[in-house]
Amino acid sequence: MPPAPPIDATPLPGGRLSREDFSRIHDRTAAILSRTGMWFGSEAAVALFRSRGFKTDGPVVFFHEAALEAALASVASRFTLLGRNPAHTITFHPDEIAVGMGRSAAFIVENNQTRRKAAANDFIELFKLAQALPAIRMMGNLVTPGDMPPAAVYPFMMVNQIRWSDKPYIFMDPGDIDLLCIAFGITRERMRADADRQIAYAQSTINPISPLAVSGEQADFLMLSAEYGMPVSLSPTPATGSTGPCTLAGNVLLNNCEVLGLLVLSQLVRPGLPVFYGVFPSGIDMRTMAGTYGSPEARLMEAAAVRMARFYGMLTRGNVGATDALTCDFQSGAESMFNFTTAMANRINHLPGCGHLGSFAAASKEKMVLDAEAAAYAGRWMRPMDLSDEALAADLIQEIGPRGNFLTARHTFANFRTELHHPELFSRPTYEKWAAEGRDLAARAADTADALLAAYVPPDLDRETDKALARFLAP
């Protein structure tokens, strides 16, 4: 194994993990992958493994520990993810944190009450909203339109990513490569060449099927992503007692097995491909068998998995705003902010999730705006405290002295705008003003979303590029 970087000494809320614990998890991972293996539904992936000397039994691939060590030594932990607007380009490294939109909800919660199937216009509206919110730095398919033929969905989503945003994109389908080339004015050859310099034009996500299986579609998409240098989030979601063991530690171990098995495949295709270690095992409510993504167990497993990724020196991918609530209410706010603060405290690098409700099944404009507000809160919380002499203000304290006040001091006017966080939506009025307005937070979030959409200005996109993109859309 490569030398491990320093591990955060901060204990988990539920206890401390030692270097010996990480080594035990790794050793058991190596044993499971070598003796039990992983099932791959892709003939191409199995053929590649076989050609590199891996033992296979039909679709099951067995991993020797040397292959795990080689992949861990190869994977990159720094790269540049381009935005079409260079101002939005992100350079990922172990200390970078970027918040993004959620993924793949089938439903929209409208007016914070009724749920309906997501449509094409919802996809566009949510993209415009994310483009307008500075806290959201990465785009994603928050909803999947359900009002068009399946074959038309992916071209529609990629074309409209490009039309309505110039922030970094998500790569979702093989056909997206040509659309990305049009958007950035490059060729496939240039995309491959830039990947050798750790420059990427989009990022993708691969979800294995827990336990220990990968569909043919996902394995082939991983190989294609690696070929073109798309940084990949390897994101298992084993769930306690259903698709994973009914212990937190068992789920963390299974998560590690699935990440490392896919990591090996990614590095066989393109050694040095940047990969995000997925840190999102989940719970199950045994009374309803529903996934519990906003639960305390999910946060504990997330924290342990982050430390496992750090043990390997890998970048991490989690989520923010995770909630099992079906509407924007107290539960939604509590679970979402809990997720924001733990994810940022754990310094998870890639954090999609803004806009989700109902265990990732639904999305809403209100939730998108409120998650952006939560991201700003958590971001301020993560900003280091200034301990300079100017910030300590010892001379000023002596000057003001007992029973004085600091309201009219020049120091106050020089610092209050930057030192103090001023929320856009979370209110701090007097009771009288609050009572006179008579609107709750969800209603005010809806107003804010509508105002942002009314003021939305599309990013620059020349007419010829737009015409070239339009040719990919269904008539």
Side-chain angles (χ1 to χ4, degrees):
M1 286 211 22
I7 299 172
D8 188 349
T10 304
L12 292 171
R16 186 180 297 276
L17 291 177
S18 68
R19 189 171 295 278
E20 290 72 26
D21 292 324
F22 295 121
S23 295
R24 286 172 61 231
I25 293 171
H26 177 78
D27 290 345
R28 282 157 176 74
T29 297
I32 290 167
L33 290 176
S34 65
R35 298 170 190 167
T36 304
M38 282 183 70
W39 182 95
F40 286 83
S42 164
E43 293 182 6
V46 175
L48 175 60
F49 280 120
R50 194 179 298 119
S51 72
R52 301 295 183 89
F54 286 73
K55 176 186 172 184
T56 62
D57 182 5
V60 178
V61 177
F62 302 90
F63 298 78
H64 41 87
E65 187 163 4
L68 304 183
E69 293 175 358
L72 288 166
S74 169
V75 64
S77 59
R78 181 180 293 267
F79 71 95
T80 299
L81 180 61
L82 299 178
R84 195 160 54 80
N85 178 348
H88 296 313
T89 290
I90 302 170
T91 297
F92 274 103
H93 53 81
D95 291 324
E96 181 67 25
I97 298 172
V99 169
M101 298 174 74
R103 309 287 169 80
S104 304
F107 300 98
I108 284 285
V109 174
E110 210 165 29
N111 300 321
N112 206 35
Q113 292 181 335
T114 58
R115 194 177 84 161
R116 60 171 174 78
K117 187 179 289 187
N121 189 59
D122 297 313
F123 182 90
I124 293 172
E125 196 168 63
L126 290 166
F127 248 82
K128 290 179 178 180
L129 196 53
Q131 172 73 9
L133 291 165
I136 297 177
R137 299 174 63 194
M138 302 179 69
M139 309 313 284
N141 54 321
L142 177 54
V143 294
T144 302
D147 60 344
M148 61 178 63
V153 169
Y154 283 109
F156 170 87
M157 290 196 294
M158 192 69 230
V159 167
N160 284 288
Q161 278 197 82
I162 297 165
R163 279 179 168 167
W164 305 114
S165 177
D166 54 13
K167 296 179 181 181
Y169 301 129
I170 182 173
F171 173 56
M172 298 173 284
D173 181 75
D176 291 350
I177 293 173
D178 291 325
L179 287 162
L180 287 166
C181 287
I182 291 169
F184 285 96
I186 59 168
T187 62
R188 286 183 173 227
E189 290 69 27
R190 167 72 180 277
M191 189 179 286
R192 288 193 188 96
D194 281 345
D196 293 336
R197 300 188 294 127
Q198 303 298 2
I199 295 172
Y201 290 88
Q203 49 78 35
S204 64
T205 296
I206 302 298
N207 300 113
I209 307 166
S210 301
L212 300 172
V214 189
S215 71
E217 179 184 34
Q218 288 286 280
D220 289 341
F221 191 59
L222 171 57
M223 295 170 71
L224 183 69
S225 296
E227 179 186 350
Y228 285 94
M230 305 291 183
V232 181
S233 296
L234 304 178
S235 295
T237 52
T240 52
S242 58
T243 57
C246 197
T247 56
L248 306 191
N251 252 24
V252 170
L253 172 59
L254 177 57
N255 187 82
N256 197 57
C257 291
E258 294 174 352
V259 168
L260 291 199
L262 289 171
L263 174 67
V264 171
L265 178 58
S266 75
Q267 301 304 300
L268 290 178
V269 177
R270 178 179 282 276
L273 179 77
V275 168
F276 294 97
Y277 182 113
V279 296
F280 203 56
S282 66
I284 286 286
D285 187 318
M286 293 309 233
R287 296 167 300 181
T288 64
M289 295 310 293
T292 55
Y293 298 100
S295 67
E297 294 83 14
R299 303 288 74 78
L300 276 168
M301 290 185 285
E302 170 189 90
V306 169
R307 285 156 176 76
M308 198 68 217
R310 194 169 293 137
F311 176 72
Y312 292 135
M314 292 179 65
L315 296 172
T316 47
R317 188 271 196 192
N319 275 286
V320 284
T323 180
D324 304 316
L326 300 174
T327 189
C328 293
D329 58 9
F330 183 87
Q331 177 187 345
S332 167
E335 290 178 340
S336 296
M337 184 59 89
F338 186 29
N339 189 192
F340 267 104
T341 53
T342 57
M344 289 196 177
N346 286 318
R347 293 199 172 275
I348 300 174
N349 305 111
H350 178 16
L351 289 170
C354 290
H356 271 304
L357 284 169
S359 306
F360 294 93
S364 82
K365 293 187 298 182
E366 294 91 342
K367 184 61 160 48
M368 175 86 82
V369 171
L370 292 170
D371 280 342
E373 187 88 330
Y377 252 66
R380 175 62 186 95
W381 176 61
M382 288 296 294
R383 198 172 82 206
M385 186 182 294
D386 179 4
L387 293 174
S388 66
D389 286 344
E390 168 67 17
L392 285 171
D395 291 343
L396 178 65
I397 294 169
Q398 292 182 58
E399 178 188 330
I400 297 295
R403 297 177 62 81
N405 77 78
F406 297 83
L407 280 175
T408 59
R410 289 181 181 274
H411 185 273
T412 299
F413 284 94
N415 287 283
F416 80 91
R417 288 185 178 87
T418 55
E419 189 75 1
L420 308 178
H421 179 65
H422 302 280
E424 298 291 330
L425 269 171
F426 294 174
S427 62
R428 297 164 175 171
T430 63
Y431 174 81
E432 289 75 16
K433 286 185 177 179
W434 172 80
E437 183 182 18
R439 294 172 65 71
D440 64 15
L441 182 58
R444 287 188 287 111
D447 289 345
T448 298
D450 290 341
L452 287 170
L453 289 169
Y456 170 84
V457 177
D460 290 338
L461 188 68
D462 66 83
R463 185 174 299 177
E464 290 306 311
T465 300
D466 193 51
K467 279 180 160 181
L469 294 173
R471 288 198 293 269
F472 287 77
L473 297 176

